[in-house]
Amino acid sequence: MYVLQKWQQSSLTARVLVGMVLGICVGLTAQIFFPESAFFTRYFSDGLFSILGQIFMACLKMLIVPLIFVSLVAGTCSLGDARSLGRLGMRTVGLYLLTTCLAITLAIMGGLLVQPGEGANLASAASFSAQAAPSLGEIVVSMFPTNPIGAMAEGNSLQIIVFALMFGLAVSAAGSRATRVVELFTGLNEAMMKLVAMVMQFAPYGVFALMGRLFFRIEFSAIANLLAYFLLVAGLLIVQLLVTYSGLLRLFAGLNPFMFLKKMESAIMFAFSTASSNATIPVSMETVNFRMGVSSRVSSFTIPLGATINMDGTAIMQGVATVFIAQAFGVPLGLSDYLTVILMATLASVGAAGVPGVGLVTLAMVLNQVGLPLEGVALILGVDRLLDMIRTAVNITGDCVVTCIVAKHEGALDESVYNDPNAMDLAVSFPEKSRDPAVG
Ligand code: ASP
């Protein structure tokens, strides 16, 4: 009884943390003590955990398309003119590219310094084939939808963003004749936020199930074989999270990085559990809006865009993986190759959606470009799931860092909320009044 009461009183962040830790413990215990148990596999891992986990992921994914569309249209209507939208866009994209380039440079330097693949002496049978990398032109053209409903049905975030921006600008240009449309979208936006809050209540159980299943099935022997690679990627991901982002927040916006990291807890846990930046969009948005005081007119644009085009964690994995594979197969890479890797990994991160495991697919493109054997991907496959979880946490943290910096420069950051350690925990209280502190 007491435990139940405590549970209900605790913040959502605390409950998600408990769900995550319990899930990891249950999964690991089952793996260690009953690795072959048909009962556990059937009724828990492939039964209850799988069902709960899938429902949770489906609910998160269900939110993405309406949330991006509705909040972006509502945000653009309030942004007014195309000029301020252009400035916001340039700043955001510029910073996203900068953080990705920093990340991959850090990774390549780390790889060259630590040499995780040295001495492996593998020979290539060269039998894999990679998809050709899309050119920048192709990426830009593919952002424009021929059919906005089709884009929504496919969940193509970039196309939805472009359509929502154009539609929002049109609504704002129509002025008083479209007041009802503005009201409609503002209301829909509030309703979507409530829906996010409702889904969040289920998060501790969903996260428990996802972790329980994953840690029952995860293979630690693969990690032991690739320990140097695993530790290097994980270490650099943590450096990016703690050092690079803190520096950027201080340098570009004069904001307190400790406060930022503290408030990122829930979003980081979500990203870790789901390994999907896209599925974390609702949580990232809530975090920057209500815990950090960013106006939704900025975050409705920067967060979904970042989930798709900004993947610093993925870029770090690709940088280290390239150097590791080159060393393991004894292929020497020159300066121009490394520059190609930086460019390709940045482009690949722009073109790929934030879903689990996508970083490995785009890695094949990067390897292809510098003539490395694609079996390299198979080499690191075994340890990728755990790294995917950590790098997704870095990916979404990068999105939130850039969002705060841009918001600060756009005058859309309420610093009293940002600096308030008790600013509302995620969606716990279903607040009645407007949920955008910076808009009022
Ligand atoms: N899972 C990552 C994300 O959603 C992408 C990846 O690196 O595979 O951000």
Side-chain angles (χ1 to χ4, degrees):
M1 204 60 210
Y2 172 76
V3 175
L4 200 68
Q5 218 174 26
K6 262 260 170 277
W7 177 253
Q8 277 162 353
Q9 283 165 358
S10 54
S11 69
L12 185 70
T13 308
R15 278 183 280 155
V16 173
L17 183 64
V18 171
M20 192 166 101
V21 173
L22 274 183
I24 294 177
C25 292
V26 169
L28 280 182
T29 314
Q31 175 171 163
I32 294 166
F33 294 106
F34 327 102
E36 309 287 318
S37 164
F39 179 81
F40 190 88
T41 308
R42 182 154 176 205
Y43 292 104
F44 288 94
S45 176
D46 293 347
L48 189 67
F49 290 176
S50 165
I51 293 170
L52 279 181
Q54 284 185 55
I55 294 178
F56 176 57
M57 287 302 281
C59 288
L60 281 177
K61 288 184 191 160
M62 161 190 93
L63 296 171
I64 299 170
V65 171
L67 188 67
I68 297 181
F69 183 61
V70 167
S71 67
L72 205 49
V73 172
T76 320
C77 292
S78 64
L79 206 63
D81 62 314
R83 270 242 304 286
S84 44
L85 189 66
R87 193 188 55 217
L88 175 68
M90 298 273 274
R91 277 189 174 147
T92 311
V93 173
L95 279 169
Y96 279 153
L97 292 180
L98 174 75
T99 54
T100 309
C101 284
L102 282 179
I104 185 140
T105 312
L106 176 76
I108 292 179
M109 278 168 22
L112 291 177
L113 214 71
V114 176
Q115 310 216 327
E118 216 44 61
N121 291 330
L122 299 177
S124 163
S127 56
F128 286 69
S129 66
Q131 282 171 286
S135 68
L136 189 58
E138 279 167 349
I139 292 179
V140 174
V141 171
S142 72
M143 283 163 56
F144 291 83
T146 47
N147 173 356
I149 308 291
M152 290 186 201
E154 285 166 16
N156 185 325
S157 310
L158 283 182
Q159 293 191 348
I160 302 173
I161 290 173
V162 168
F163 178 66
L165 288 177
M166 289 178 157
F167 185 70
L169 281 178
V171 171
S172 129
S176 59
R177 276 165 301 152
T179 323
R180 291 243 193 94
V181 183
V182 177
E183 276 167 16
L184 173 70
F185 274 90
T186 315
L188 281 175
N189 199 21
E190 288 286 324
M192 277 313 298
M193 286 301 181
K194 290 269 189 244
L195 191 53
V196 172
M198 283 157 65
V199 170
M200 294 304 179
Q201 301 302 311
F202 178 54
Y205 314 101
V207 166
F208 169 79
L210 286 175
M211 292 295 94
R213 182 158 200 264
L214 184 77
F215 278 81
F216 176 62
R217 294 150 54 106
I218 209 161
E219 283 181 29
F220 288 100
S221 52
I223 296 181
N225 292 338
L226 290 171
L227 200 62
Y229 166 77
F230 181 87
L231 290 181
L232 182 61
V233 177
L236 291 176
L237 287 172
I238 292 171
V239 170
Q240 177 81 3
L241 194 82
L242 300 181
V243 182
T244 313
Y245 290 151
S246 298
L248 291 176
L249 275 172
R250 268 252 181 272
L251 199 70
F252 287 126
L255 292 171
N256 178 350
F258 299 108
M259 193 59 87
F260 175 86
L261 288 170
K262 173 93 192 60
K263 294 187 174 194
M264 282 300 293
E265 284 167 342
S266 312
I268 286 181
M269 280 191 285
F270 264 80
F272 184 80
S273 319
T274 58
S276 165
S277 306
N278 274 4
T280 315
I281 288 176
V283 194
S284 308
M285 277 229 224
E286 288 243 318
T287 303
V288 291
N289 288 357
F290 307 121
R291 303 200 74 189
M292 299 185 188
V294 174
S295 165
S296 66
R297 83 181 155 84
V298 168
S299 61
S300 62
F301 172 68
T302 54
I303 294 291
L305 187 70
T308 315
I309 74 165
N310 184 47
M311 295 185 187
D312 305 340
T314 305
I316 288 187
M317 177 280 279
Q318 293 181 338
V320 178
T322 310
V323 177
F324 172 73
I325 292 165
Q327 288 166 353
F329 285 95
V331 181
L333 293 182
L335 184 64
S336 68
D337 293 317
Y338 289 119
L339 291 177
T340 310
V341 172
I342 295 180
L343 188 72
M344 282 309 297
T346 309
L347 278 186
S349 111
V350 174
V355 293
V358 78
L360 272 193
V361 179
T362 49
L363 174 64
M365 294 178 191
V366 178
L367 296 181
N368 206 23
Q369 203 71 22
V370 285
L372 283 172
L374 299 179
E375 298 98 304
V377 176
L379 198 65
I380 54 175
L381 196 71
V383 292
D384 197 64
R385 177 64 207 205
L386 208 53
L387 287 177
D388 193 6
M389 294 157 76
I390 311 175
R391 69 177 180 253
T392 307
V394 173
N395 289 347
I396 62 110
T397 307
D399 304 341
C400 295
V401 167
V402 170
T403 298
C404 286
I405 297 175
V406 171
K408 169 88 190 224
H409 289 275
E410 291 284 323
L413 179 74
D414 184 339
E415 289 195 48
S416 63
V417 177
Y418 183 94
N419 290 317
D420 174 4
N422 301 318
M424 193 197 322
D425 185 38
L426 291 181
V428 269
S429 51
F430 291 85
E432 287 311 319
K433 55 185 190 36
S434 169
R435 295 173 55 85
D436 190 341
V439 158

